[in-house]
Amino acid sequence: MTMKKKKITIALDGFSSTGKSTMAKWLAGQVGYAYVDTGAMYRAVALFCIENQLIDNGVVDEQALQERLADIRITFRPNKEGRSDTYLNGRNVEREIRGMEVSAVVSTVAAIGFVRRDMVRQQQAMGRNKGIVMDGRDIGTVVFPDAEMKVFVTASAEVRAQRRYDELRAKGDTTTTLEEVLQNVTERDRLDTTREESPLRQAPDAVVLDNSHMTIDEQNQWLLNLYKEKTSNR
Ligand code: DC
């Protein structure tokens, strides 16, 4: 008799532009799990701040943001290609949240305690029934400390900047330089690892994946093998 496997929770954390999202999405598709990009949620809050003049010269008006937090509704809906797009109050913001304007301020917004608590609460609700792949910075440490499978993804800053630069070019950005992208990546690493509120940290039970010199195919296989190992006795 074949028994239906019990679903697990999969947490992927790590530095920015490591290709976490691509891997996480792929794995979710392979194993039929839901996928949640938590970075997109913080990016949507950052966009809300920009659009509502709640951020001035990189400084967030925290009181005003706290008062308006309940007005921010973030949802995910599949697009025609089957990928999930981020919606802010019913508007598709997938493209806008990936631009440099949002990237420049998102780490500051993501460092605010009440923002994190609100996002974490929503993320925990999304993963209540397991069968989820979630990627971010604090998934294995704060959101789902009991996740059965935890991966900590890393790659050199130069490799990550080049990937992000190629991505921006492919999306039609012809002005941002590689140097600027590298600066943004390094600065975000610093902010993400040194902030007081749930800094980016490897969970003690996470498996490290350095994909600096791996192809997408190699990392996908590595991830799928780990998933098989984690679910073999279930
Ligand atoms: O993964 P990303 O680059 O799209 O994330 C955008 C920012 O959001 C990044 O600077 C760190 C922050 N973030 C976070 O603090 N916690 C998460 N779970 C996900 C992202």
Side-chain angles (χ1 to χ4, degrees):
M1 191 175 75
T2 54
M3 293 246 292
K4 202 159 183 273
K5 265 188 188 165
K6 258 204 194 143
K7 291 192 168 177
I8 64 167
T9 302
I10 303 175
L12 264 89
D13 289 302
F15 291 97
S16 62
S17 304
T18 43
K20 285 191 307 290
S21 307
T22 313
M23 284 161 63
K25 247 177 261 178
W26 180 86
L27 181 65
Q30 286 292 308
V31 304
Y33 280 17
Y35 162 69
V36 176
D37 172 0
T38 64
M41 298 173 72
Y42 291 98
R43 285 174 179 272
V45 178
L47 181 64
F48 181 89
C49 290
I50 295 170
E51 289 183 335
N52 293 278
Q53 286 85 45
L54 301 180
I55 190 155
D56 184 28
N57 249 326
V59 181
V60 179
D61 181 343
E62 294 198 18
Q63 200 187 330
L65 176 59
Q66 189 151 27
E67 281 164 13
R68 299 203 56 187
L69 202 60
D71 297 342
I72 306 180
R73 200 168 43 85
I74 302 161
T75 46
F76 295 100
R77 286 185 222 161
N79 61 24
K80 274 189 240 129
E81 286 97 51
R83 284 193 304 270
S84 136
D85 280 350
T86 312
Y87 284 72
L88 172 60
N89 294 332
R91 176 168 58 105
N92 188 331
V93 293
E94 187 58 37
R95 202 184 159 83
E96 275 165 286
I97 61 166
R98 308 293 167 190
M100 283 301 277
E101 204 187 346
V102 167
S103 296
V105 298
V106 63
S107 289
T108 310
V109 173
I112 303 172
F114 65 82
V115 171
R116 301 206 68 82
R117 285 190 285 280
D118 195 53
M119 295 302 121
V120 168
R121 182 184 51 77
Q122 295 184 37
Q123 291 151 12
Q124 288 172 336
M126 292 178 205
R128 200 182 298 125
N129 300 325
K130 295 185 181 271
I132 198 158
V133 183
M134 203 171 270
D135 84 60
R137 303 292 188 287
D138 58 343
I139 312 306
T141 51
V142 176
V143 182
F144 298 120
D146 297 332
E148 292 85 353
M149 172 168 160
K150 296 183 187 178
V151 180
F152 190 83
V153 193
T154 180
S156 75
E158 286 72 21
V159 166
R160 289 184 287 130
Q162 184 68 53
R163 288 177 187 161
R164 183 98 189 88
Y165 175 80
D166 293 343
E167 218 173 82
L168 286 169
R169 278 282 179 280
K171 284 181 181 163
D173 178 343
T174 53
T175 51
T176 310
T177 65
L178 180 59
E179 186 55 36
E180 282 168 341
V181 179
L182 180 60
Q183 255 173 32
N184 176 259
V185 163
T186 318
E187 179 58 8
R188 283 206 286 147
D189 286 357
R190 192 184 67 75
L191 292 170
D192 292 347
T193 50
T194 58
R195 71 177 175 219
E196 261 175 52
E197 292 278 343
S198 26
L200 169 63
R201 220 165 260 155
Q202 185 193 325
D205 51 347
V207 186
V208 178
L209 172 67
D210 182 335
N211 67 11
S212 300
H213 305 291
M214 279 169 105
T215 64
I216 290 184
D217 221 35
E218 283 167 347
Q219 43 180 347
N220 285 348
Q221 282 315 314
W222 181 95
L223 203 59
L224 188 60
N225 286 341
L226 185 64
Y227 165 82
K228 286 180 179 157
E229 193 184 306
K230 297 283 179 192
T231 52
S232 60
N233 301 322
R234 298 177 73 85

